[in-house]
Amino acid sequence: MKKPIAFFVHHQGRGHANRTMAVAAEFARDRPVSVLTAGPHLFDGFSRDIEIVALPNMIGAAVPTPRLYAEPTPQVMHCVPLGLSEMRRTMRQILDHLDERGIGLFVVDVSAEIALLSRIASVPAVQIRMHGDRQDIGHVGSYEACVGMLAPFDARLEQDDYPAHLRARTFYSGGLCTSIDRVPDRAEARARLGLDPDREIVVAVTGGGGSGTPYAPLTVAARAAPDALWLTLGPTHREGHETDFSNLRELGWVPSVTDYLAAADIVVASAGDNTVHEVARVGGRLIVMPEWRYFGEQTRKAEALVRLGAAVQAPVWPGDLQGWRDLLARARALDGKALRGLYAPDAASRAAGWLEGLTDALWQGAAEPLQGAAEPVQAAAPLRVVAAG
């Protein structure tokens, strides 16, 4: 039997889960796969046979005493409050699963601490790479503890300051987009959506990992370009003092983001991995406005996109008419080819192939488990959920 591959999947937003499903769907059918996550609902409807291990949700768990709360966090770790039973149960359940299933490779998306835990438990781990200022000893230590890193983006988007010895151990899948629906041309997309075939359309899109696109700046944008139609997809964040305009429409969650992106002349978006690659897949002109993330993740990705000529950005959301007019003029000058070149249609299959090949290479020649020892088993049915103990 092939050695099983397990994933730890952070449950903030949908991006980590969607990426895991895209990669896992490309694995050989006889490869046992499991997912450990505090958001098992994110995998509802996934058709591949996998085992889901439901972990406790540690976010917001209360530290039991002021004295424990006052203890400083060691530099080698990022988030390790003391006294949490939820954390103990999470780590115990992860270790039990790695041991009982005989996991051959643990893919961590994402947590520096859990990558370190995997190494301490003598289980090979791969860390999913994200952009950001991650030169601290916690991140570098977790990278060095792994047998490799998987970057779900093009190598050209790599940061100049990422250490060369770690870059050499990183597999770049190319731009991984989890959307797989067909991309229509602009005329078809507009006809399907009932939009004016000739009017300039600007689409502002954000995912579910943050607080939403700031709505107030878009009201200024609508005034700055009154002949354009402005559409927002996903959540928006209002401050309560905005004035609405007829050429600015909030659509919320829509059935097909791809149609709206294909219909747009310009897309305003955050710098989330999947969001960027969704725009790249349709070859759009991108104004990238990074959301706040730990370690400056989206800021550093936005810088890389601008450096490649794949997007434009402003230091902050423009608050004046001329600021928006200047930003739109720079966006119109983009040809979209630089951004489109960062999307790789086969990224998920390339990532899956690398992970499976790495697993097999690591365990080639290993003796079979002794009779009676715990052996890896494959889930008997799709999405079998194992609740936290």
Side-chain angles (χ1 to χ4, degrees):
M1 177 180 287
K2 292 181 177 178
K3 291 291 284 184
I5 296 177
F7 290 79
F8 169 80
V9 179
H10 200 290
H11 61 290
Q12 177 69 23
R14 301 195 64 90
H16 304 287
N18 287 344
R19 177 163 53 213
T20 296
M21 287 187 282
V23 173
E26 299 292 335
F27 284 156
R29 291 303 168 200
D30 57 346
R31 174 78 63 182
V33 179
S34 54
V35 170
L36 300 95
T37 180
H41 64 283
L42 297 171
F43 293 85
D44 288 350
F46 186 42
S47 58
R48 193 198 191 279
D49 287 359
I50 62 173
E51 179 181 4
I52 300 287
V53 178
L55 299 174
N57 186 353
M58 298 184 294
I59 294 178
V63 176
T65 72
R67 181 67 178 82
L68 289 169
Y69 185 71
E71 283 298 307
T73 299
Q75 292 186 48
V76 74
M77 298 178 180
H78 300 135
C79 182
V80 284
L82 292 172
L84 299 187
S85 62
E86 294 90 345
M87 184 166 286
R88 290 193 295 277
R89 294 202 312 272
T90 293
M91 301 309 161
R92 183 183 303 114
Q93 195 158 2
I94 289 173
L95 291 174
D96 286 346
H97 182 79
L98 296 177
D99 193 30
E100 292 167 2
R101 296 294 186 264
I103 298 300
L105 188 68
F106 193 25
V107 183
V108 181
D109 190 0
V110 287
S111 167
E113 289 87 354
I114 289 177
L116 289 169
L117 177 74
S118 186
R119 180 58 184 256
I120 292 169
S122 198
V123 177
V126 162
Q127 181 99 291
I128 300 295
R129 279 283 318 287
M130 302 178 77
H131 286 80
D133 298 313
R134 301 177 192 269
Q135 294 80 28
D136 58 278
I137 61 174
H139 277 111
V140 173
S142 72
Y143 295 151
E144 292 180 344
C146 289
V147 295
M149 278 72 68
L150 172 59
F153 49 83
D154 193 290
R156 290 171 292 174
L157 274 176
E158 185 57 274
Q159 297 171 201
D160 293 337
D161 57 0
Y162 190 63
H165 74 285
L166 295 177
R167 186 182 301 220
R169 298 175 59 220
T170 299
F171 179 80
Y172 298 90
S173 69
L176 198 163
C177 178
T178 61
S179 296
I180 57 175
D181 51 341
R182 188 179 70 85
V183 177
D185 62 28
R186 190 177 78 160
E188 179 186 349
R190 292 192 177 196
R192 187 181 299 175
L193 298 171
L195 298 173
D196 189 321
D198 301 315
R199 190 176 186 182
E200 183 176 47
I201 295 177
V202 183
V203 172
V205 59
T206 190
S211 60
T213 301
Y215 190 74
L218 294 180
T219 65
V220 181
R223 292 171 58 200
D227 294 332
L229 175 63
W230 294 75
L231 305 174
T232 72
L233 310 182
T236 58
H237 174 71
R238 286 177 175 261
E239 298 185 30
H241 52 69
E242 296 86 352
T243 299
D244 292 320
F245 294 89
S246 61
N247 65 325
L248 173 59
R249 303 177 191 169
E250 288 183 272
L251 302 182
W253 298 111
V254 296
S256 175
V257 172
T258 300
D259 285 347
Y260 284 93
L261 296 180
D265 294 290
I266 296 171
V267 177
V268 183
S270 66
D273 270 331
N274 199 60
T275 299
V276 166
H277 291 124
E278 281 190 306
V279 183
R281 192 167 73 107
V282 304
R285 295 176 174 86
L286 175 62
I287 297 174
V288 60
M289 297 301 297
E291 296 183 31
W292 185 93
R293 289 292 185 273
Y294 290 102
F295 306 105
E297 172 206 334
Q298 290 203 10
T299 299
R300 298 304 304 274
K301 189 188 293 97
E303 291 171 354
L305 288 165
V306 172
R307 169 172 51 81
L308 293 174
V312 297
Q313 75 168 126
V316 295
W317 289 88
D320 63 298
L321 302 183
Q322 192 57 47
W324 271 109
R325 290 168 183 153
D326 292 343
L327 185 58
L328 290 169
R330 290 195 287 125
R332 294 183 187 112
L334 294 168
D335 64 10
K337 293 180 181 178
L339 182 60
R340 183 187 289 273
L342 298 176
Y343 163 67
D346 61 346
S349 62
R350 293 185 70 235
W354 179 74
L355 290 171
E356 289 202 273
L358 177 60
T359 305
D360 294 341
L362 288 167
W363 292 95
Q364 185 176 9
E368 292 295 321
L370 295 174
Q371 185 68 28
E375 295 188 19
V377 296
Q378 186 171 12
L383 298 179
R384 179 165 63 86
V385 177
V386 180

